[in-house]
Amino acid sequence: MTSSLSRDLVFLILQFLDEEKFKETIHKLEQESGLFFSVKYFEDLVLSGKWDEVEKYLSGFTRVDDNRYSMKIYFEIRKQKYLEALDRNERGKAVDILVKDLKVFASFNEDLFKEITQLLTLENFRENDQLSSYRDTKTARPLMLVELKKLIEANPLFRDKLEFPNIKGSRLRMLINQSLNWQHSLCTNPRPNPDIKTLFVDHNCRNANDPYAQLTASNQLISPVAKSGSFLPMGAHGPSAAVQIPLTAWMSTSSMITRPVASGGGTSFLTPLHSAAMTKGLGDLDIMTKTRISGVPDRIMLPGKNPGQNHCSATDELPKTVARTLTQGSVPTSMDFHPVQQTLLLVGTHAGDISLWEVSSAEKVVSRNFQVWNIGASSMSLKAALTKDPCVSVKCLLWSPDGSLFGVAYSKQIVQLYTYHGSHEIRQHLEIDAHIGSVNDIAFSNHNKQLSVITCGDDRTIKVWDVATGTKLYTFEGHMDAVHSVCPHSKDNVHFVFSTSVDGKIKAWLYDMMGLRVDYNAPGQSCSTMAYSADGKRLFSCGTNKEGESHMVEWNENEGTVKRTYRGFHKRSLGVVQFDTTKNRFLAAGDDYSIKFWDMDNSSLLTTIDTEGGLPASPRIRFNKEGTLLAVSANENRIKILATVDGIMLLCSNESHSLIASRIAPETVTKNGDSRNQEDVKPRLTEEVNPVKNWKLTEISKPSQLRTLRLSAHVKTDKISRLIYTNSGNGILALALNAIHLYWKWPRSEVNLSGKATSKVAPQLVQPASGILMTNDLAGAKPEDVVPCFALSKNDSYVMSTSGGKISLFNMMTFKTMTTFMEPPPASTYLAFHPQDNNIIAVGMDDSTIHIYNIRTDEAKNKLKGHSKRVTGLAFSHVLNILVSSGADAQIIIWSCDGWERQKSAFSHIPSGRTPAAASDTQVQFHHDQIHFLAVNETQLAIYDSMKLECEKQWVVGESSAPISHAAFSCDSQLVYSSFVDGSVRIFNASNLQLRCRVDSSAYLPSDVSSAAIYPRVIAAHPQEPNQFAIGLTDSSVHVLEPLESENKWGLPYPTHENGSASNGRPLSAVVVASDQHQG
């Protein structure tokens, strides 16, 4: 056997040991073989402070003096052990550690060893300046672990040892079965049902009187035993499929179906509407599904490990460390983390106020007290309820799926929707007088590709509302008591809503049928809440009945029966137990003054955390999207933030550039409940009397004034005509005028742990082994009329692109052309993916039409006519469900995505002295709120309200100034980046289009390059970093630009008061005209 096969055999044995749960043996073999380093096991040892075991495990992979990374690893571990002994006042043990463990480092850094020794002379080692920030063991170990993981990843001795090979489950068993099958085939007189009971000798069929028993009728060579790790069945036929009653059965039934929970079959919860296989289009390619082997249970895949290689303790992945404590001011009743900015926490309270917290810095960035926005338009019942009892509490609040808005349900009839604009800016969007009595729950749904909000209340109804207009779309009636919660879901294009009521009923509703479809009793007749796992494949409910008995179960979606009941609740829970799910693996519930955790696949309680005490009987809980943070309501109006090791890293990385630190807040800021005026937190100006006089436009003209990186390319290309960051933020895609695409990707490294685009590290130009380039079809294209354009799919897997010829669909992994379509004439001039369906694209054409094209069926579904010249820009709003188009005719048109009807149109303002041709290349981009949009052409920047199609703000280029070449919003829509034909880049405040920074071409172009004819044709903003952008130049180069780390922003905004006026008292003009003389 070669050494390579020996190595493979060790991995197969490791997999087998894991499947058989030989936990200690696994790690012993890992250490002795030195082939696989289990980061999770190492984390567990470090966090537990098992220092001898930590070093013993490390010794299998590296020694102290192997290299500088190894030396640093051992030093950090031994230093922590030394500090903990000092902290416990165990001087004798500390001396022993110093002599035996730390003295070895004296020969490498004698001064450092002396300084460590001197800590023994201090009463408290925190008197040392470098250790003054040391808090305690509980917080120090996770912080040290972050550094250790960085060192391990950078250490070449651990290369290729941090990831377990991708091996199919039970691989060793399968190889053994194959061998036995082969041995059986060589038998002289093979028996039809041999019974093999040993592997110590080769199999050989004997006579009928031999002691071996017959195999079962399944014809398996090795019979399975009653445990998950049994040998895999090798029979040709799997178990027969269970007979299921599909969803269509109860959809077509006119009468309501009622089933007890214990029912063994009958009505299905979620069986798909259409069982026939459908032809897969682009949208289907975005999420690849894997065939499951019947009888083989799903396994949880840990990062970098094989599904069968789950070595670590499950509790390692749970947030257990109290990383932050927030003081809210009143009792928290509902919490929700932002789906994208995962350290942003929305909180509603018993007093009716809502707050937005930046958890990393423990700062409250927004606070709003309850008020009715339009009391005059309110119903008489609401006015009467508020007159009788003005006290209002928040029942539930929730972010929309993309985080662009959030909804708040109150105990008095109404729901309020706010749009979120990044930083500290939220705006009132919609107020709905929704129910009589309390509104108990709120949820968002994308039924019919239109965002809607679902509410339920004390009036026993469920209602569905259009988010854009507040129009009521559906009302579901049938509950006999107050509706407690709603849970919308969809499966195979079947959209439905579960609802639960306080009398213990669970009902399901279809939007289109307008009637009750399913009626069940919740376990124990409990007042329950329902929730799906993050992948939408598993359904759970949790609640408490009137007797205080709590029940949490997993449902069998196909049968409508309870699949698993979770144990571990207190016999008499106080209040309705709250629960949440995370990582498609864990369940958590607040019960008995603690947080209880379960593994989804195990009904027994996994662990309990009391968060160092101070919790109410039934605390409210909420995970962030990645499950690295957990918000827990605590006594004394506090919220505790629990974190995993990755969560602590997330908080630390965000703390240095929190929302408050990076922006000047226009309102009172609260930090841990301590209110301070704006003057206490904003940067001090030299003269407070006249800040405008002291404000100066930031001019950047030297390379030393910013961070810049030119992306290298070995492919000869033409001018860059289109540029975009990948949605993941780790790459940049460019399209040159000669139809060639360039794709750069940033790898993870010691310098760039996140793998995101940055100016600190040069990316790699991606090129497949085949050597092919993504090149657009040019057949039929007229060079003088070519308008290159492309659009990237949401998961960065595909790019749709054209350069005057056919539209090409490229695979971003292989660069292969998957298909081409829409041969000119007319030529395509702009492309945009539909936000809810990757199979639908909008294609702007040279003949002024817009085609709504279905890639799956390869046909144009609709043809929109309204422009008189070619289409130059397209942008979708998923909130308003509209498409905005711009054309060379200077016209902007809004189309409804429901029937593709024209709703509004307007012409761009042409500045005096300019011809209409100046607006011939107008492009559009939606603001983060999905309501306002930016329109840009060579003469102006303009921000429109799409609901009114009115220009709210405008910046016009002076007659003697260089034209604009392109512009884009920053990812948080707080800035507008604009490039000019003179080579400069200007950065504006999006709120008022006031110029705040100008970057001259001399700051990013080499000194030996003549900048006379070189300028940025296109500009693109990073999707997660608001202060990073990239430019594509006429010399075919691409540059990434960022402010200096010491600045962390592009200049200072022009001083304004809260009413929008300038600090000198004059109101800001809606139209700002630029000139060659700079502001300031």
Side-chain angles (χ1 to χ4, degrees), residues 8-17 19-20 167-179 199 222 231-232:
D8 290 352
L9 180 57
V10 173
F11 280 114
L12 291 177
I13 294 171
L14 284 171
Q15 183 192 53
F16 175 83
L17 292 173
E19 291 168 347
E20 293 296 314
I167 309 170
K168 185 179 290 186
S170 302
R171 175 66 178 169
L172 185 59
R173 302 171 190 278
M174 188 185 73
L175 292 174
I176 294 172
N177 276 336
Q178 289 175 348
S179 172
L199 300 176
I222 299 181
F231 286 94
L232 291 174

PDB file of all heavy atoms in Angstrom, residues 8-17 19-20 167-179 199 222 231-232:
ATOM      1  N   ASP A   8      -5.202   7.906   3.000  1.00  0.00           N
ATOM      2  CA  ASP A   8      -6.649   7.809   2.765  1.00  0.00           C
ATOM      3  C   ASP A   8      -7.310   6.880   3.761  1.00  0.00           C
ATOM      4  O   ASP A   8      -8.428   7.144   4.237  1.00  0.00           O
ATOM      5  CB  ASP A   8      -6.928   7.312   1.340  1.00  0.00           C
ATOM      6  CG  ASP A   8      -6.568   8.342   0.294  1.00  0.00           C
ATOM      7  OD1 ASP A   8      -6.246   9.485   0.678  1.00  0.00           O
ATOM      8  OD2 ASP A   8      -6.618   8.006  -0.913  1.00  0.00           O
ATOM      9  N   LEU A   9      -6.615   5.776   4.088  1.00  0.00           N
ATOM     10  CA  LEU A   9      -7.180   4.820   5.031  1.00  0.00           C
ATOM     11  C   LEU A   9      -7.351   5.455   6.414  1.00  0.00           C
ATOM     12  O   LEU A   9      -8.349   5.208   7.100  1.00  0.00           O
ATOM     13  CB  LEU A   9      -6.282   3.580   5.126  1.00  0.00           C
ATOM     14  CG  LEU A   9      -6.768   2.478   6.094  1.00  0.00           C
ATOM     15  CD1 LEU A   9      -8.166   2.011   5.726  1.00  0.00           C
ATOM     16  CD2 LEU A   9      -5.787   1.314   6.107  1.00  0.00           C
ATOM     17  N   VAL A  10      -6.386   6.297   6.809  1.00  0.00           N
ATOM     18  CA  VAL A  10      -6.514   6.977   8.106  1.00  0.00           C
ATOM     19  C   VAL A  10      -7.762   7.852   8.121  1.00  0.00           C
ATOM     20  O   VAL A  10      -8.514   7.878   9.106  1.00  0.00           O
ATOM     21  CB  VAL A  10      -5.253   7.810   8.400  1.00  0.00           C
ATOM     22  CG1 VAL A  10      -5.464   8.656   9.653  1.00  0.00           C
ATOM     23  CG2 VAL A  10      -4.040   6.904   8.591  1.00  0.00           C
ATOM     24  N   PHE A  11      -8.012   8.560   7.034  1.00  0.00           N
ATOM     25  CA  PHE A  11      -9.203   9.409   6.976  1.00  0.00           C
ATOM     26  C   PHE A  11     -10.484   8.575   7.022  1.00  0.00           C
ATOM     27  O   PHE A  11     -11.480   8.966   7.649  1.00  0.00           O
ATOM     28  CB  PHE A  11      -9.189  10.271   5.713  1.00  0.00           C
ATOM     29  CG  PHE A  11      -8.313  11.489   5.818  1.00  0.00           C
ATOM     30  CD1 PHE A  11      -7.178  11.617   5.031  1.00  0.00           C
ATOM     31  CD2 PHE A  11      -8.614  12.507   6.707  1.00  0.00           C
ATOM     32  CE1 PHE A  11      -6.370  12.735   5.125  1.00  0.00           C
ATOM     33  CE2 PHE A  11      -7.809  13.628   6.805  1.00  0.00           C
ATOM     34  CZ  PHE A  11      -6.685  13.739   6.024  1.00  0.00           C
ATOM     35  N   LEU A  12     -10.468   7.420   6.351  1.00  0.00           N
ATOM     36  CA  LEU A  12     -11.648   6.557   6.397  1.00  0.00           C
ATOM     37  C   LEU A  12     -11.887   6.031   7.813  1.00  0.00           C
ATOM     38  O   LEU A  12     -13.032   5.916   8.265  1.00  0.00           O
ATOM     39  CB  LEU A  12     -11.474   5.384   5.424  1.00  0.00           C
ATOM     40  CG  LEU A  12     -11.496   5.735   3.938  1.00  0.00           C
ATOM     41  CD1 LEU A  12     -11.239   4.487   3.101  1.00  0.00           C
ATOM     42  CD2 LEU A  12     -12.819   6.369   3.548  1.00  0.00           C
ATOM     43  N   ILE A  13     -10.795   5.731   8.510  1.00  0.00           N
ATOM     44  CA  ILE A  13     -10.932   5.262   9.902  1.00  0.00           C
ATOM     45  C   ILE A  13     -11.456   6.386  10.786  1.00  0.00           C
ATOM     46  O   ILE A  13     -12.298   6.169  11.654  1.00  0.00           O
ATOM     47  CB  ILE A  13      -9.575   4.727  10.412  1.00  0.00           C
ATOM     48  CG1 ILE A  13      -9.175   3.456   9.638  1.00  0.00           C
ATOM     49  CG2 ILE A  13      -9.641   4.428  11.907  1.00  0.00           C
ATOM     50  CD1 ILE A  13      -7.761   2.990   9.922  1.00  0.00           C
ATOM     51  N   LEU A  14     -10.958   7.606  10.556  1.00  0.00           N
ATOM     52  CA  LEU A  14     -11.465   8.746  11.318  1.00  0.00           C
ATOM     53  C   LEU A  14     -12.964   8.927  11.097  1.00  0.00           C
ATOM     54  O   LEU A  14     -13.731   9.170  12.032  1.00  0.00           O
ATOM     55  CB  LEU A  14     -10.723  10.024  10.919  1.00  0.00           C
ATOM     56  CG  LEU A  14      -9.299  10.208  11.450  1.00  0.00           C
ATOM     57  CD1 LEU A  14      -8.628  11.409  10.788  1.00  0.00           C
ATOM     58  CD2 LEU A  14      -9.302  10.368  12.963  1.00  0.00           C
ATOM     59  N   GLN A  15     -13.384   8.780   9.847  1.00  0.00           N
ATOM     60  CA  GLN A  15     -14.818   8.891   9.553  1.00  0.00           C
ATOM     61  C   GLN A  15     -15.602   7.787  10.253  1.00  0.00           C
ATOM     62  O   GLN A  15     -16.662   8.033  10.835  1.00  0.00           O
ATOM     63  CB  GLN A  15     -15.042   8.820   8.041  1.00  0.00           C
ATOM     64  CG  GLN A  15     -16.515   8.997   7.640  1.00  0.00           C
ATOM     65  CD  GLN A  15     -16.748   8.628   6.199  1.00  0.00           C
ATOM     66  OE1 GLN A  15     -16.392   7.538   5.768  1.00  0.00           O
ATOM     67  NE2 GLN A  15     -17.360   9.533   5.457  1.00  0.00           N
ATOM     68  N   PHE A  16     -15.072   6.567  10.235  1.00  0.00           N
ATOM     69  CA  PHE A  16     -15.739   5.435  10.889  1.00  0.00           C
ATOM     70  C   PHE A  16     -15.839   5.658  12.396  1.00  0.00           C
ATOM     71  O   PHE A  16     -16.883   5.414  13.015  1.00  0.00           O
ATOM     72  CB  PHE A  16     -14.961   4.153  10.581  1.00  0.00           C
ATOM     73  CG  PHE A  16     -15.497   2.935  11.293  1.00  0.00           C
ATOM     74  CD1 PHE A  16     -16.560   2.229  10.783  1.00  0.00           C
ATOM     75  CD2 PHE A  16     -14.923   2.503  12.478  1.00  0.00           C
ATOM     76  CE1 PHE A  16     -17.054   1.115  11.439  1.00  0.00           C
ATOM     77  CE2 PHE A  16     -15.414   1.396  13.137  1.00  0.00           C
ATOM     78  CZ  PHE A  16     -16.486   0.698  12.632  1.00  0.00           C
ATOM     79  N   LEU A  17     -14.753   6.133  13.011  1.00  0.00           N
ATOM     80  CA  LEU A  17     -14.762   6.391  14.458  1.00  0.00           C
ATOM     81  C   LEU A  17     -15.788   7.461  14.819  1.00  0.00           C
ATOM     82  O   LEU A  17     -16.453   7.385  15.856  1.00  0.00           O
ATOM     83  CB  LEU A  17     -13.377   6.823  14.927  1.00  0.00           C
ATOM     84  CG  LEU A  17     -12.277   5.756  14.861  1.00  0.00           C
ATOM     85  CD1 LEU A  17     -10.920   6.370  15.189  1.00  0.00           C
ATOM     86  CD2 LEU A  17     -12.576   4.610  15.823  1.00  0.00           C
ATOM     87  N   GLU A  19     -18.573   8.098  13.138  1.00  0.00           N
ATOM     88  CA  GLU A  19     -19.902   7.502  12.995  1.00  0.00           C
ATOM     89  C   GLU A  19     -20.235   6.582  14.163  1.00  0.00           C
ATOM     90  O   GLU A  19     -21.403   6.441  14.547  1.00  0.00           O
ATOM     91  CB  GLU A  19     -19.979   6.742  11.675  1.00  0.00           C
ATOM     92  CG  GLU A  19     -19.944   7.674  10.459  1.00  0.00           C
ATOM     93  CD  GLU A  19     -19.735   6.933   9.149  1.00  0.00           C
ATOM     94  OE1 GLU A  19     -19.375   5.729   9.206  1.00  0.00           O
ATOM     95  OE2 GLU A  19     -19.910   7.550   8.087  1.00  0.00           O
ATOM     96  N   GLU A  20     -19.202   5.982  14.754  1.00  0.00           N
ATOM     97  CA  GLU A  20     -19.417   5.083  15.889  1.00  0.00           C
ATOM     98  C   GLU A  20     -19.301   5.808  17.232  1.00  0.00           C
ATOM     99  O   GLU A  20     -19.371   5.178  18.281  1.00  0.00           O
ATOM    100  CB  GLU A  20     -18.393   3.929  15.842  1.00  0.00           C
ATOM    101  CG  GLU A  20     -18.585   2.980  14.667  1.00  0.00           C
ATOM    102  CD  GLU A  20     -19.914   2.250  14.729  1.00  0.00           C
ATOM    103  OE1 GLU A  20     -20.268   1.749  15.813  1.00  0.00           O
ATOM    104  OE2 GLU A  20     -20.613   2.197  13.700  1.00  0.00           O
ATOM    105  N   ILE A 167     -15.657  13.108   1.719  1.00  0.00           N
ATOM    106  CA  ILE A 167     -15.860  11.661   1.549  1.00  0.00           C
ATOM    107  C   ILE A 167     -17.335  11.340   1.747  1.00  0.00           C
ATOM    108  O   ILE A 167     -17.962  11.832   2.684  1.00  0.00           O
ATOM    109  CB  ILE A 167     -15.026  10.856   2.570  1.00  0.00           C
ATOM    110  CG1 ILE A 167     -13.570  11.314   2.558  1.00  0.00           C
ATOM    111  CG2 ILE A 167     -15.118   9.367   2.285  1.00  0.00           C
ATOM    112  CD1 ILE A 167     -12.751  10.736   3.700  1.00  0.00           C
ATOM    113  N   LYS A 168     -17.866  10.534   0.871  1.00  0.00           N
ATOM    114  CA  LYS A 168     -19.259  10.123   1.019  1.00  0.00           C
ATOM    115  C   LYS A 168     -19.419   9.352   2.322  1.00  0.00           C
ATOM    116  O   LYS A 168     -18.540   8.604   2.744  1.00  0.00           O
ATOM    117  CB  LYS A 168     -19.678   9.249  -0.168  1.00  0.00           C
ATOM    118  CG  LYS A 168     -21.152   8.871  -0.165  1.00  0.00           C
ATOM    119  CD  LYS A 168     -21.521   8.025  -1.364  1.00  0.00           C
ATOM    120  CE  LYS A 168     -21.486   8.822  -2.636  1.00  0.00           C
ATOM    121  NZ  LYS A 168     -21.988   8.055  -3.795  1.00  0.00           N
ATOM    122  N   GLY A 169     -20.552   9.561   2.986  1.00  0.00           N
ATOM    123  CA  GLY A 169     -20.809   8.927   4.272  1.00  0.00           C
ATOM    124  C   GLY A 169     -20.646   7.413   4.233  1.00  0.00           C
ATOM    125  O   GLY A 169     -20.968   6.744   3.245  1.00  0.00           O
ATOM    126  N   SER A 170     -20.116   6.852   5.346  1.00  0.00           N
ATOM    127  CA  SER A 170     -19.939   5.401   5.511  1.00  0.00           C
ATOM    128  C   SER A 170     -19.130   4.794   4.369  1.00  0.00           C
ATOM    129  O   SER A 170     -19.413   3.690   3.908  1.00  0.00           O
ATOM    130  CB  SER A 170     -21.297   4.707   5.621  1.00  0.00           C
ATOM    131  OG  SER A 170     -22.044   5.205   6.698  1.00  0.00           O
ATOM    132  N   ARG A 171     -18.099   5.477   3.937  1.00  0.00           N
ATOM    133  CA  ARG A 171     -17.291   5.012   2.812  1.00  0.00           C
ATOM    134  C   ARG A 171     -16.584   3.698   3.142  1.00  0.00           C
ATOM    135  O   ARG A 171     -16.535   2.787   2.309  1.00  0.00           O
ATOM    136  CB  ARG A 171     -16.263   6.093   2.455  1.00  0.00           C
ATOM    137  CG  ARG A 171     -15.263   5.704   1.381  1.00  0.00           C
ATOM    138  CD  ARG A 171     -15.922   5.494   0.045  1.00  0.00           C
ATOM    139  NE  ARG A 171     -14.944   5.164  -0.986  1.00  0.00           N
ATOM    140  CZ  ARG A 171     -15.267   4.716  -2.197  1.00  0.00           C
ATOM    141  NH1 ARG A 171     -16.542   4.575  -2.534  1.00  0.00           N
ATOM    142  NH2 ARG A 171     -14.332   4.435  -3.074  1.00  0.00           N
ATOM    143  N   LEU A 172     -16.027   3.556   4.341  1.00  0.00           N
ATOM    144  CA  LEU A 172     -15.322   2.329   4.708  1.00  0.00           C
ATOM    145  C   LEU A 172     -16.271   1.139   4.690  1.00  0.00           C
ATOM    146  O   LEU A 172     -15.910   0.050   4.227  1.00  0.00           O
ATOM    147  CB  LEU A 172     -14.676   2.494   6.083  1.00  0.00           C
ATOM    148  CG  LEU A 172     -13.788   1.340   6.569  1.00  0.00           C
ATOM    149  CD1 LEU A 172     -12.635   1.094   5.603  1.00  0.00           C
ATOM    150  CD2 LEU A 172     -13.247   1.637   7.967  1.00  0.00           C
ATOM    151  N   ARG A 173     -17.471   1.328   5.205  1.00  0.00           N
ATOM    152  CA  ARG A 173     -18.463   0.237   5.190  1.00  0.00           C
ATOM    153  C   ARG A 173     -18.780  -0.181   3.759  1.00  0.00           C
ATOM    154  O   ARG A 173     -18.931  -1.372   3.470  1.00  0.00           O
ATOM    155  CB  ARG A 173     -19.747   0.693   5.888  1.00  0.00           C
ATOM    156  CG  ARG A 173     -19.561   1.151   7.324  1.00  0.00           C
ATOM    157  CD  ARG A 173     -20.862   1.785   7.824  1.00  0.00           C
ATOM    158  NE  ARG A 173     -20.655   2.451   9.100  1.00  0.00           N
ATOM    159  CZ  ARG A 173     -20.653   1.833  10.266  1.00  0.00           C
ATOM    160  NH1 ARG A 173     -20.855   0.534  10.312  1.00  0.00           N
ATOM    161  NH2 ARG A 173     -20.446   2.492  11.378  1.00  0.00           N
ATOM    162  N   MET A 174     -18.909   0.829   2.893  1.00  0.00           N
ATOM    163  CA  MET A 174     -19.248   0.503   1.512  1.00  0.00           C
ATOM    164  C   MET A 174     -18.131  -0.300   0.843  1.00  0.00           C
ATOM    165  O   MET A 174     -18.388  -1.258   0.103  1.00  0.00           O
ATOM    166  CB  MET A 174     -19.495   1.792   0.724  1.00  0.00           C
ATOM    167  CG  MET A 174     -20.051   1.551  -0.668  1.00  0.00           C
ATOM    168  SD  MET A 174     -20.210   3.071  -1.619  1.00  0.00           S
ATOM    169  CE  MET A 174     -18.497   3.404  -1.969  1.00  0.00           C
ATOM    170  N   LEU A 175     -16.870   0.055   1.120  1.00  0.00           N
ATOM    171  CA  LEU A 175     -15.752  -0.691   0.542  1.00  0.00           C
ATOM    172  C   LEU A 175     -15.736  -2.139   1.041  1.00  0.00           C
ATOM    173  O   LEU A 175     -15.440  -3.069   0.285  1.00  0.00           O
ATOM    174  CB  LEU A 175     -14.433   0.003   0.888  1.00  0.00           C
ATOM    175  CG  LEU A 175     -14.191   1.373   0.229  1.00  0.00           C
ATOM    176  CD1 LEU A 175     -12.921   1.997   0.775  1.00  0.00           C
ATOM    177  CD2 LEU A 175     -14.111   1.231  -1.281  1.00  0.00           C
ATOM    178  N   ILE A 176     -16.039  -2.310   2.336  1.00  0.00           N
ATOM    179  CA  ILE A 176     -16.102  -3.661   2.891  1.00  0.00           C
ATOM    180  C   ILE A 176     -17.207  -4.453   2.223  1.00  0.00           C
ATOM    181  O   ILE A 176     -17.047  -5.633   1.867  1.00  0.00           O
ATOM    182  CB  ILE A 176     -16.281  -3.613   4.414  1.00  0.00           C
ATOM    183  CG1 ILE A 176     -15.034  -3.018   5.078  1.00  0.00           C
ATOM    184  CG2 ILE A 176     -16.579  -5.000   4.978  1.00  0.00           C
ATOM    185  CD1 ILE A 176     -15.192  -2.748   6.552  1.00  0.00           C
ATOM    186  N   ASN A 177     -18.366  -3.845   2.046  1.00  0.00           N
ATOM    187  CA  ASN A 177     -19.482  -4.526   1.381  1.00  0.00           C
ATOM    188  C   ASN A 177     -19.115  -4.924  -0.043  1.00  0.00           C
ATOM    189  O   ASN A 177     -19.466  -6.021  -0.511  1.00  0.00           O
ATOM    190  CB  ASN A 177     -20.712  -3.615   1.364  1.00  0.00           C
ATOM    191  CG  ASN A 177     -21.488  -3.698   2.656  1.00  0.00           C
ATOM    192  OD1 ASN A 177     -21.414  -4.693   3.365  1.00  0.00           O
ATOM    193  ND2 ASN A 177     -22.230  -2.655   2.978  1.00  0.00           N
ATOM    194  N   GLN A 178     -18.404  -4.017  -0.754  1.00  0.00           N
ATOM    195  CA  GLN A 178     -17.982  -4.346  -2.116  1.00  0.00           C
ATOM    196  C   GLN A 178     -17.041  -5.553  -2.114  1.00  0.00           C
ATOM    197  O   GLN A 178     -17.127  -6.438  -2.971  1.00  0.00           O
ATOM    198  CB  GLN A 178     -17.289  -3.139  -2.746  1.00  0.00           C
ATOM    199  CG  GLN A 178     -18.235  -1.993  -3.069  1.00  0.00           C
ATOM    200  CD  GLN A 178     -17.500  -0.775  -3.585  1.00  0.00           C
ATOM    201  OE1 GLN A 178     -16.275  -0.690  -3.506  1.00  0.00           O
ATOM    202  NE2 GLN A 178     -18.250   0.181  -4.117  1.00  0.00           N
ATOM    203  N   SER A 179     -16.134  -5.585  -1.136  1.00  0.00           N
ATOM    204  CA  SER A 179     -15.205  -6.716  -1.035  1.00  0.00           C
ATOM    205  C   SER A 179     -15.942  -8.022  -0.772  1.00  0.00           C
ATOM    206  O   SER A 179     -15.642  -9.059  -1.377  1.00  0.00           O
ATOM    207  CB  SER A 179     -14.191  -6.438   0.086  1.00  0.00           C
ATOM    208  OG  SER A 179     -13.391  -7.569   0.332  1.00  0.00           O
ATOM    209  N   LEU A 199     -15.257 -10.661   9.593  1.00  0.00           N
ATOM    210  CA  LEU A 199     -14.399 -10.089   8.570  1.00  0.00           C
ATOM    211  C   LEU A 199     -12.969 -10.595   8.702  1.00  0.00           C
ATOM    212  O   LEU A 199     -12.093 -10.192   7.931  1.00  0.00           O
ATOM    213  CB  LEU A 199     -14.396  -8.554   8.671  1.00  0.00           C
ATOM    214  CG  LEU A 199     -15.746  -7.854   8.502  1.00  0.00           C
ATOM    215  CD1 LEU A 199     -15.578  -6.348   8.736  1.00  0.00           C
ATOM    216  CD2 LEU A 199     -16.313  -8.093   7.114  1.00  0.00           C
ATOM    217  N   ILE A 222     -24.767  -7.730   4.742  1.00  0.00           N
ATOM    218  CA  ILE A 222     -24.582  -7.470   6.163  1.00  0.00           C
ATOM    219  C   ILE A 222     -25.860  -6.864   6.685  1.00  0.00           C
ATOM    220  O   ILE A 222     -26.300  -5.830   6.214  1.00  0.00           O
ATOM    221  CB  ILE A 222     -23.402  -6.526   6.407  1.00  0.00           C
ATOM    222  CG1 ILE A 222     -22.112  -7.162   5.879  1.00  0.00           C
ATOM    223  CG2 ILE A 222     -23.269  -6.186   7.864  1.00  0.00           C
ATOM    224  CD1 ILE A 222     -20.889  -6.316   6.082  1.00  0.00           C
ATOM    225  N   PHE A 231     -24.063  -0.819   8.833  1.00  0.00           N
ATOM    226  CA  PHE A 231     -23.583  -0.917   7.467  1.00  0.00           C
ATOM    227  C   PHE A 231     -24.713  -0.583   6.505  1.00  0.00           C
ATOM    228  O   PHE A 231     -25.875  -0.896   6.728  1.00  0.00           O
ATOM    229  CB  PHE A 231     -23.059  -2.332   7.176  1.00  0.00           C
ATOM    230  CG  PHE A 231     -21.740  -2.592   7.813  1.00  0.00           C
ATOM    231  CD1 PHE A 231     -21.667  -3.197   9.061  1.00  0.00           C
ATOM    232  CD2 PHE A 231     -20.574  -2.215   7.195  1.00  0.00           C
ATOM    233  CE1 PHE A 231     -20.442  -3.439   9.660  1.00  0.00           C
ATOM    234  CE2 PHE A 231     -19.348  -2.455   7.774  1.00  0.00           C
ATOM    235  CZ  PHE A 231     -19.281  -3.060   9.007  1.00  0.00           C
ATOM    236  N   LEU A 232     -24.349   0.071   5.400  1.00  0.00           N
ATOM    237  CA  LEU A 232     -25.361   0.515   4.455  1.00  0.00           C
ATOM    238  C   LEU A 232     -25.988  -0.669   3.739  1.00  0.00           C
ATOM    239  O   LEU A 232     -25.303  -1.603   3.332  1.00  0.00           O
ATOM    240  CB  LEU A 232     -24.726   1.437   3.401  1.00  0.00           C
ATOM    241  CG  LEU A 232     -24.274   2.798   3.912  1.00  0.00           C
ATOM    242  CD1 LEU A 232     -23.543   3.522   2.792  1.00  0.00           C
ATOM    243  CD2 LEU A 232     -25.465   3.595   4.368  1.00  0.00           C
TER     244      LEU A 232
END
